[in-house]
Amino acid sequence: MSLQAAQNQAAPSAASPSAGTPPPPTGPSPSSGKALYGGKSTRRVTVHDVTAATERGEKWPMLTAYDAMTASVFDEAGIPVMLVGDSMGNCHLGYETTVPVTMDEMTLLSAAVVRGTRRALIVADLPFGAYQEGPVQALRNATRLIKDAGVGAVKLEGGERSHEQIRLLVEAGIPVMGHIGLTPQSVNSMGYRVQGRGEEAAQQLLRDAKAVQDAGAFAVVLELVPAELAAEVTRTLHIPTVGIGAGPDTDAQVLVWTDMAGLTGGKVPRFSKQYANLRQVLGDAAKTYAEEVVGGTFPQPEHTFH
């Protein structure tokens, strides 16, 4: 079935609200205590909570985090799922891509995020070179993130090509989040461009999505995918879809936190929205501090011991 045909077939299944009538709200209200975002529970969010939220029709937010202090802020804000992404390579470690990130770096920063949170489900990336050899390598490194860092789940890139890795991890009791579409670890072969355009590419992405689900993943990230195709994938799968540059119809959304908060310098992705300008705030604070030191107005008596 073509993408257009699938869209046409799916269209009549949803009743259209009358003109001027807002659609009914979906999912529980925060006061119910069940909501992932705004709920009252103080225990750790689990993959079962994520699945239940999607079954209720509740959309949920995910942010990346790479250190204990930032993670604690997001945890207090109620963010229910955090990803210790290999995007740390770009955002915090100074690499040009995610490819150089190591298991040592991923384990160290994942453990920090876990220590800085009380409620959020922490998902850690398996970095490039940590699972490509096959299922046994994937299991060894995923086990390290579960045991040594204390994360609740791992994420790895690839659809059909990663089916056996996902299957073995799930059989071993390790929850897995898949990642298809643009897979940044493959930047040297695919570049940074929208994936799934054209009939053949769309069908391959659908096959990848089904392979991730069939292998037992509890959710799948769709990165840089046309909105119409992401919507079709979301209708087709029974596991949650997490969009990043994949339009509004996925079950959840994720952003790199430095993009979201305006800390990233230079050009930011088109799909990201800046909710603050922390780069300017921090820069202004640093300049004010420096000027007070140079001018002799800091420290003041209230900052001094005798």
Side-chain angles (χ1 to χ4, degrees), residues 9-92:
Q9 181 177 352
S13 63
S16 300
S18 59
T21 303
T26 59
S29 65
S31 61
S32 70
K34 293 182 179 180
L36 277 187
Y37 176 73
K40 295 181 179 180
S41 173
T42 56
R43 64 169 175 78
R44 282 279 180 189
V45 172
T46 69
V47 297
H48 300 292
D49 296 322
V50 168
T51 299
T54 298
E55 290 174 350
R56 293 192 299 265
E58 177 192 349
K59 288 182 177 287
W60 44 274
M62 180 165 77
L63 283 173
T64 64
Y66 315 108
D67 64 88
M69 185 171 293
T70 306
S72 71
V73 173
F74 296 157
D75 205 44
E76 291 170 5
I79 300 299
V81 185
M82 293 185 214
L83 171 66
V84 188
D86 57 5
S87 48
M88 68 172 67
N90 311 85
C91 299
H92 287 269

Side-chain angles (χ1 to χ4, degrees), residues 214-248:
D214 292 344
F218 75 92
V220 60
V221 172
L222 307 178
E223 181 167 359
L224 220 58
V225 172
E228 299 81 7
L229 179 56
E232 181 180 358
V233 171
T234 301
R235 289 192 299 267
T236 300
L237 300 186
H238 60 73
I239 62 173
T241 57
V242 184
I244 178 167

Side-chain angles (χ1 to χ4, degrees), residues 86-175:
D86 57 5
S87 48
M88 68 172 67
N90 311 85
C91 299
H92 287 269
L93 301 179
Y95 302 139
E96 291 187 4
T97 71
T98 65
V99 172
V101 174
T102 67
M103 274 299 301
D104 286 344
E105 291 164 340
M106 183 60 64
T107 304
L108 177 69
L109 298 191
S110 295
V113 170
V114 171
R115 289 192 296 268
T117 57
R118 294 178 178 270
R119 179 176 182 265
L121 168 65
I122 309 302
V123 182
D125 265 335
L126 282 174
F128 180 74
Y131 60 96
Q132 281 82 1
E133 288 181 14
V136 174
Q137 183 199 30
L139 179 59
R140 180 172 61 252
N141 286 314
T143 300
R144 181 179 174 188
L145 289 172
I146 296 290
K147 288 175 64 68
D148 296 350
V151 303
V154 301
K155 180 173 75 65
L156 56 83
E157 296 180 0
E160 290 182 326
R161 63 183 168 88
S162 297
H163 178 275
E164 290 306 310
Q165 285 94 323
I166 296 172
R167 182 187 60 78
L168 182 59
L169 266 57
V170 173
E171 287 179 354
I174 299 175

